[in-house]
Amino acid sequence: YVVDDASTDETPERVQAKALEYPGQVFHLRREQGGEGKAHTINHGLRTIRSDDWYEAVMIIDADVILTPPSLRRMTRYFGDPDVGAVTAYIKEGSRPGNYMNRFVAFEYITAQAAARRAQNVLGAQACLAGGAQLIRRESLEAIGGVIDTSTLAEDTVTTFNIQLDGKRVVFDGHALVWAEEPRDVGGLWKQRVRWSRGNVQVTFRFKHIWLRRDKGPLGGLSFAFIWFTIFLMPALMVG
């Protein structure tokens, strides 16, 4: 299912051609009024998928990511455990040809994902499903309302928190590799990180009732609070 957010390029023609080439396997979902944000675009697709009532899980990806062949198989295996509600993959910087900024982001992702998310696996609390690779079990999606939050700039983080607060685990698989295009200059990186930071501020206040509350499970633990508020304060610490 390719959700076309009122694009003005050749997206409709290309997707429709693939739909003809692979009938019953590729679907073009057009939004005539776009520009409302990623969450609204995803929800447009989810409404169509949920109306068919056949799905067992939903894999949400971005337009600029490429899944490596074994990644989906590696992610779906976790659903053999009924306590797992969602799985996220290891996003790696894959812009070609790369430049100085891409190399910086590639190094950052090794620490931010390969290291940090493995640590969060040990804690039993994940901070965020990677926006470009999030596999969500049907029961968990329905339990949080069947749609993605549209009130913040961090819809993937809100989804992650809500699934865990519903009592299910979120897991990171460091061997499920997904390549993504990242900003190629300082301006693009600044715009991306400002959006992420604003989203983190919104999430921090939205879930203020869980911080340092043991009755909220691993999300309410001291260790997770240390991780989260390190991320939350990072922009201020970097400026300082």
Side-chain angles (χ1 to χ4, degrees):
Y1 289 81
V2 181
V3 186
D4 172 5
D5 192 37
S7 62
T8 57
D9 56 12
E10 298 179 3
T11 296
E13 292 78 11
R14 290 179 179 268
V15 178
Q16 289 165 9
K18 288 297 180 182
L20 291 174
E21 185 178 352
Y22 301 99
Q25 298 182 56
V26 177
F27 301 90
H28 175 238
L29 304 180
R30 173 78 175 180
R31 293 192 75 209
E32 295 303 331
Q33 180 177 350
E36 294 180 297
K38 178 182 175 180
H40 286 281
T41 304
I42 294 173
N43 287 337
H44 182 77
L46 288 177
R47 282 190 288 269
T48 300
I49 293 171
R50 293 176 65 218
S51 66
D52 287 342
D53 199 36
W54 57 266
Y55 75 101
E56 298 180 26
V58 174
M59 178 73 171
I60 298 174
I61 66 173
D62 289 337
D64 60 353
V65 304
I66 299 176
L67 278 70
T68 57
S71 55
L72 186 56
R73 175 173 54 81
R74 289 182 180 276
M75 296 173 74
T76 54
R77 63 182 177 168
Y78 290 95
F79 286 163
D81 182 348
D83 290 332
V84 175
V87 185
T88 191
Y90 179 13
I91 303 288
K92 300 192 72 174
E93 206 294 312
S95 302
R96 297 293 184 272
N99 62 9
Y100 73 98
M101 185 58 66
N102 301 130
R103 288 192 291 272
F104 167 78
V105 173
F107 174 77
E108 179 196 25
Y109 276 15
I110 292 173
T111 56
Q113 296 197 54
R117 291 188 176 180
R118 281 187 171 92
Q120 291 167 36
N121 271 347
V122 175
L123 290 177
Q126 283 290 331
C128 183
L129 288 160
Q134 42 186 310
L135 181 64
I136 305 174
R137 187 193 293 271
R138 174 178 180 167
E139 290 81 0
S140 290
L141 180 62
E142 298 291 344
I144 63 173
V147 293
I148 303 301
D149 175 74
T150 59
S151 64
T152 73
L153 294 173
E155 73 287 333
D156 43 8
T157 306
V158 173
T159 297
T160 310
F161 276 42
N162 283 337
I163 290 174
Q164 293 173 104
L165 290 173
D166 186 55
K168 298 297 184 181
R169 292 169 54 215
V170 173
V171 179
F172 166 72
D173 189 320
H175 298 288
L177 302 181
V178 177
W179 298 100
E181 290 184 334
E182 298 298 338
R184 300 182 60 82
D185 54 40
V186 173
L189 186 68
W190 175 263
K191 183 177 180 180
Q192 180 193 62
R193 299 311 164 89
V194 167
R195 185 177 74 252
W196 288 3
S197 298
R198 290 179 60 193
N200 288 340
V201 171
Q202 293 169 336
V203 169
T204 300
F205 285 99
R206 176 170 180 156
F207 291 96
K208 60 185 178 181
H209 62 287
I210 73 169
W211 306 121
L212 302 175
R213 290 277 304 275
R214 292 186 177 181
D215 59 316
K216 299 301 181 181
L219 288 179
L222 177 62
S223 297
F224 185 76
F226 177 79
I227 290 174
W228 177 262
F229 284 99
T230 299
I231 298 172
F232 173 71
L233 294 172
M234 189 179 297
L237 296 174
M238 290 177 69
V239 171

